[in-house]
Amino acid sequence: CNVVGFALANTAVGAAVKIAQVGQLGGFSSLTAGGKVFASLTAGGITQNISSFSTGDVIFQVGFATSTPQIAIQPMFVMELG
């Protein structure tokens, strides 16, 4: 598992897409400002709650919430649960 950034648009499989790898990205909801943000177990999603992750799941931090609708992008591998 590797995260390189966020797709800035929905596209068809195999189509070119612009990726945000650093900076601020908005459009989210219900984030807790200052909290870490992780790639979700749901494809394309994000979460601040990793309590449902289990053995074999990969935890990948994608940034942190700067406000309720916005994150600062800072992808980093955290761990694989085993």
Side-chain angles (χ1 to χ4, degrees), residues 3-12 15-22 25-26 28 44-46 62 71 73 75:
V3 174
V4 296
F6 285 85
L8 296 178
N10 291 326
T11 64
V17 63
K18 291 183 179 180
I19 303 291
Q21 294 181 304
V22 296
L25 187 62
F28 302 100
I46 62 168
V62 296
I71 68 169
I73 303 169

Side-chain angles (χ1 to χ4, degrees), residues 32-65:
T32 300
K36 295 176 182 178
V37 178
F38 302 91
S40 170
L41 294 174
T42 303
I46 62 168
T47 185
Q48 288 189 294
N49 181 354
I50 57 172
S51 64
S52 63
F53 285 52
S54 61
T55 300
D57 290 338
V58 174
I59 300 175
F60 207 99
Q61 183 177 337
V62 296
F64 63 93

